[in-house]
């Protein structure tokens, strides 16, 4: 059975909810929170969701993959690539924020796609995204091996992969609050360390290193190392580096109050974009040459450009600390990918697109039926690194993941657009929403259009790869994700039949929706003095 408009597959009853709503209220508040219920436990707080949104996706793509991008695209290429990708995830995050407040469901955007776009699209998105999470686990595990090789290569690759896989599994099989606390600690370390990186690398570039001042010399000499095609080639890595940012939509299903937590998480996005991706990438362009042979993917030590910058500056202590932070980052990102994969399969089960047992979770909220296959496949793929170089495996996996990510981001934006159309067509106003994106409709349209353009760009790069001759092997290695998506989508179309689009007039807008209790905070006295100033400052940063 597939998803039909009269099927009660979106959890949460709504028959008597309207009777409990505050009459005349603009946001449809009720006496108690209700709706969007699953076997997951709402044990995560605003603090957990904000920190997960802030730093959970900071992993191999930024710390290691930026070296590959610097070499292929040059200083200007990598910086502009992150600017473009950043504008996209900014828009996607706003769409997630509005939808996750309304529908905090286990697989979030997979279920939104089934509700507002098409059940076949939801089937293709859900299973391809689950595979993407598995690939990310494998990629982060092989990245951990690359990081360890900076210190020693005495231990076999397979042994390190096994060790880090066990650690990631243990993080996920603990209580959900345990997982949340570990992610908060990891995100806090990454967030604090980026300030050390920014300050120290500005000093180094200005002359406080073992070499003369560099400034923007590399920008003057080789802003684009391979021209426009080189710039295009950095986009898959930039997208891969930001993949996982959409996980805040999944975590919303396990937060106590999505209406409070989700907007705060969305509001933190600009900090991650500016500090980590834009300023972080700028720092390596003013300290590391694009021709450095030790960059990840080249013939030398295959190290992170951040580590190389400290080592070449004659500051080995910071180089080792940087490497340790990268190790924490990749383990954190692998952990959140296991979390995302297991919740995606749960959402597919609620759509009747996976076995019903995937809906189940134990008394602490762990979805074992989703966790086990996610880690079996993700861990198994990681062992490809035993027979191939880390850079080759990273290139394969990042290209595959970036295409899955573009498909997912595009579906999130399209779901948001169609949600708003259905909302207006059925006589409702934006003021009734629990949280409203202030960049609609420009945001989701920009995100959707750019996703389509970049999928076409990656087709061009798969047919005519940078620095290599066209071949069927290269094409399928880099573009098989799209082939898989198309096969899943068309196969689902044949099975489900019916319309290509969900009828906007027939959508039950309240099915799977979360209704919120009256806001008692508005009646509390406002904080004054230093406490009031601090509260206003935090609100300005995160909202």
């Amino acid at each position: 059975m597939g998803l039909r408009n009269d099927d009660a597959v979106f959890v949460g009853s709504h028959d008597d909810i309207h009777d409990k709503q505050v009459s005349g209220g603009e946001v449809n508040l009720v006496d108690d929170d209700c709706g969007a219920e699953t076997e997951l436990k709402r044990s995560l707080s605003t603090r957990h969701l904000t920190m997960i949104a802030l730093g959970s996706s900071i992993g191999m793509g930024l710390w290691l993959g930026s070296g590959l991008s610097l070499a292929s695209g040059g200083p200007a290429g990598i910086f502009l690539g992150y600017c473009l990708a950043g504008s996209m995830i900014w828009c996607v995050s706003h769409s997630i924020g509005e939808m996750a407040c309304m529908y905090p469901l286990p697989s979030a955007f997979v279920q939104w796609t089934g509700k507002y776009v098409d059940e076949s699209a939801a089937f293709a998105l859900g299973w391809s995204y689950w595979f993407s999470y598995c690939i990310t686990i494998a990629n982060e595990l092989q990245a951990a091996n690359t990081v360890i090789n900076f210190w020693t290569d005495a231990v076999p690759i397979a042994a390190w992969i096994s060790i880090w896989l066990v650690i990631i599994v243990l993080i996920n099989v603990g209580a959900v609050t345990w997982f949340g606390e570990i992610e908060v600690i990891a995100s806090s370390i990454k967030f604090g360390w980026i300030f050390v990186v920014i300050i120290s690398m500005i000093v180094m570039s200005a002359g406080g290193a073992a070499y003369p001042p560099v400034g923007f010399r590399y920008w003057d000499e080789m802003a684009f190392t391979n021209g426009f095609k080189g710039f295009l080639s950095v986009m898959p890595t930039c997208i891969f580096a930001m993949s996982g940012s959409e996980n805040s939509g999944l975590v919303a299903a396990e937060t106590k109050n999505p209406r409070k937590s989700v907007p705060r998480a969305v509001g933190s996005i600009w900090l991650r974009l500016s500090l980590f991706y834009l300023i972080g990438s700028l720092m390596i362009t003013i300290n590391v040459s694009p021709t450095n042979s030790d960059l990840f993917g080249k013939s030398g030590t295959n190290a992170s450009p951040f580590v190389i910058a400290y080592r070449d500056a004659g500051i080995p202590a910071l180089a080792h600390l940087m490497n340790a932070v990268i190790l924490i980052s990749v383990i954190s990102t692998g952990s959140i990918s296991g979390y995302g994969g297991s919740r995606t399969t749960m959402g597919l089960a609620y759509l009747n697109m996976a076995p019903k047992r995937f809906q189940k979770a134990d008394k602490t909220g762990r979805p074992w039926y989703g966790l086990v296959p996610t880690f079996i496949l993700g861990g198994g793929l990681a062992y490809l690194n035993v027979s191939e170089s880390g850079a080759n495996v990273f290139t394969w996996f990042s290209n595959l993941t970036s295409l899955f990510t573009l498909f997912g981001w595009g579906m999130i934006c399209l779901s948001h657009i169609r949600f708003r159309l259905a909302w207006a067509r059925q006589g409702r106003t934006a003021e009734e929403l629990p949280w409203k994106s202030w960049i609609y409709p420009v945001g989701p349209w920009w995100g959707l259009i750019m996703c389509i353009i970049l999928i076409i760009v990656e087709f061009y790069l798969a047919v005519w790869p940078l620095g290599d001759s066209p071949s069927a092997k290269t094409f399928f290695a880099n573009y098989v994700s799209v082939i898989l998506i198309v096969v899943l989508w068309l196969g689902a179309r044949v099975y489900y039949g019916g319309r290509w689009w969900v009828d906007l007039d027939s959508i039950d807008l309240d099915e799977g929706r979360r209704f919120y209790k009256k806001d008692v905070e508005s009646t509390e006295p406002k904080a004054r003095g230093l406490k009031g100033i601090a509260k206003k400052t935090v609100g300005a940063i995160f909202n």
Side-chain angles (χ1 to χ4, degrees):
M1 286 289 293
L3 173 68
R4 305 298 177 194
N5 288 325
D6 57 345
D7 285 339
V9 296
F10 287 103
V11 290
S13 66
H14 63 283
D15 294 338
D16 58 339
I17 283 177
H18 291 295
D19 296 333
K20 298 163 63 181
Q21 294 178 24
V22 178
S23 60
E26 290 184 338
V27 193
N28 290 63
L29 301 178
V30 295
D31 295 328
D32 294 296
D33 287 355
C34 54
E37 302 298 344
T38 68
E39 292 194 15
L40 298 175
K41 307 301 180 184
R42 296 186 180 275
S43 52
L44 298 179
S45 66
T46 299
R47 175 175 60 90
H48 292 120
L49 183 56
T50 300
M51 293 307 295
I52 287 173
L54 186 63
S56 65
S57 63
I58 307 297
M60 182 184 186
L62 174 65
W63 300 128
L64 282 171
S66 54
L68 199 62
S69 297
L70 179 63
S72 59
I78 183 176
F79 184 75
L80 292 176
Y82 278 124
C83 286
L84 181 58
S87 72
M88 295 169 62
I89 192 57
W90 172 268
C91 297
V92 171
S93 296
H94 269 259
S95 293
I96 289 173
E98 189 169 295
M99 298 286 285
C101 284
M102 282 286 294
Y103 306 103
L105 300 169
S107 65
F109 40 88
V110 176
Q111 289 171 272
W112 304 338
T113 299
K115 186 177 182 73
Y116 287 104
V117 181
D118 172 55
E119 56 190 345
S120 302
F123 181 89
L125 175 61
W127 286 111
S128 62
Y129 235 75
W130 175 75
F131 186 51
S132 177
Y133 282 122
C134 296
I135 291 175
T136 302
I137 292 172
N139 219 1
E140 300 300 328
L141 287 172
Q142 74 88 11
N145 175 69
T146 301
V147 172
I148 290 294
N149 280 343
F150 178 77
W151 291 311
T152 178
D153 57 1
V155 180
I157 295 174
W160 280 124
I161 291 175
S162 300
I163 291 170
W164 301 123
L165 177 60
V166 169
I167 291 174
I168 290 175
V169 170
L170 289 176
I171 293 173
N172 274 270
V173 300
V176 175
T177 50
W178 180 17
F179 164 83
E181 291 301 330
I182 291 174
E183 288 300 321
V184 166
I185 293 171
S187 294
S188 299
I189 292 172
K190 288 181 268 188
F191 186 66
W193 181 254
I194 194 65
F195 290 101
V196 176
V197 170
I198 293 170
I199 295 171
S200 60
M201 288 199 174
I202 289 176
V203 173
M204 288 157 47
S205 183
Y211 45 75
V214 177
F216 285 85
R217 185 178 72 197
Y218 301 131
W219 282 70
D220 295 333
E221 294 175 355
M222 54 190 89
F224 294 95
T225 52
N226 290 287
F228 184 65
K229 188 173 184 179
F231 163 67
L232 295 179
S233 71
V234 310
M235 290 310 303
T237 305
C238 292
I239 296 297
F240 172 74
M242 294 188 182
S243 64
S245 301
E246 62 276 16
N247 287 329
S248 57
L250 303 178
V251 181
E254 295 180 70
T255 55
K256 298 173 183 176
N257 186 355
R259 185 164 65 97
K260 178 182 177 182
S261 304
V262 173
R264 180 67 60 87
V266 172
S268 72
I269 294 296
W270 75 269
L271 275 175
R272 185 176 71 224
L273 294 177
S274 58
L275 289 177
F276 286 96
Y277 296 110
L278 302 186
I279 300 179
S281 63
L282 181 62
M283 291 303 101
I284 64 170
T285 66
I286 61 176
N287 282 281
V288 181
S289 170
T291 60
N292 191 309
S293 61
D294 288 331
L295 284 171
F296 182 66
K298 303 195 86 172
S299 59
T301 59
N302 262 317
S304 160
F306 295 90
V307 173
I308 292 172
Y310 287 130
R311 186 197 61 190
D312 292 350
I315 316 176
L318 286 180
H320 289 293
L321 285 173
M322 182 76 246
N323 215 47
V325 171
I326 295 173
L327 182 59
I328 293 171
S329 298
V330 298
I331 298 303
S332 168
T333 305
S335 173
I336 193 71
S337 297
Y339 175 97
S342 61
R343 272 61 180 181
T344 297
T345 56
M346 177 177 273
L348 284 166
Y350 277 112
L351 288 168
N352 292 330
M353 295 175 180
K356 284 290 185 183
R357 67 184 59 184
F358 281 91
Q359 295 181 12
K360 302 296 181 181
D362 64 14
K363 62 181 180 180
T364 63
R366 293 170 296 189
W368 286 103
Y369 288 107
L371 283 170
V372 172
T374 298
F375 282 115
I376 288 177
L377 181 57
L381 289 173
Y383 289 97
L384 287 173
N385 193 42
V386 174
S387 59
E388 290 285 346
S389 74
N392 285 341
V393 174
F394 172 80
T395 300
W396 297 339
F397 284 167
S398 63
N399 285 340
L400 294 176
T401 303
S402 65
L403 286 164
F404 286 136
T405 299
L406 288 171
F407 179 50
W409 289 0
M411 285 294 105
I412 290 170
C413 293
L414 183 58
S415 297
H416 186 201
I417 292 168
R418 289 182 58 79
F419 158 66
R420 280 294 198 101
L421 290 174
W423 190 257
R425 185 173 294 186
Q426 296 188 28
R428 308 197 188 192
T429 65
E431 284 67 32
E432 296 178 65
L433 300 173
W435 183 78
K436 181 173 63 174
S437 169
W438 57 270
I439 62 174
Y440 181 88
V442 175
W445 276 110
W446 169 258
L448 177 60
I449 292 170
M450 287 309 305
C451 285
I452 294 172
I453 290 175
L454 288 182
I455 289 174
I456 296 172
V457 165
E458 292 207 36
F459 174 80
Y460 165 72
L461 293 172
V463 176
W464 295 282
L466 181 68
D468 200 359
S469 301
S471 69
K473 178 182 177 181
T474 302
F475 174 81
F476 283 104
N478 293 321
Y479 213 68
V480 70
S481 297
V482 174
I483 298 173
L484 176 61
I485 291 169
V486 172
V487 169
L488 288 173
W489 196 332
L490 294 179
R493 285 298 315 158
V494 172
Y495 178 77
Y496 294 126
R499 298 168 59 107
W500 282 87
W501 296 95
V502 173
D503 182 14
L504 295 179
D505 294 315
S506 64
I507 295 174
D508 186 344
L509 295 171
D510 293 328
E511 189 73 57
R513 178 181 174 183
R514 185 73 175 170
F515 289 86
Y516 298 95
K517 64 182 178 181
K518 301 173 186 178
D519 189 359
V520 297
E521 294 179 0
S522 60
T523 63
E524 296 177 355
K526 293 184 178 180
R528 299 183 181 277
L530 291 177
K531 185 177 180 181
I533 294 174
K535 196 169 183 179
K536 288 180 180 179
T537 301
V538 172
I541 292 174
F542 291 108
N543 287 298

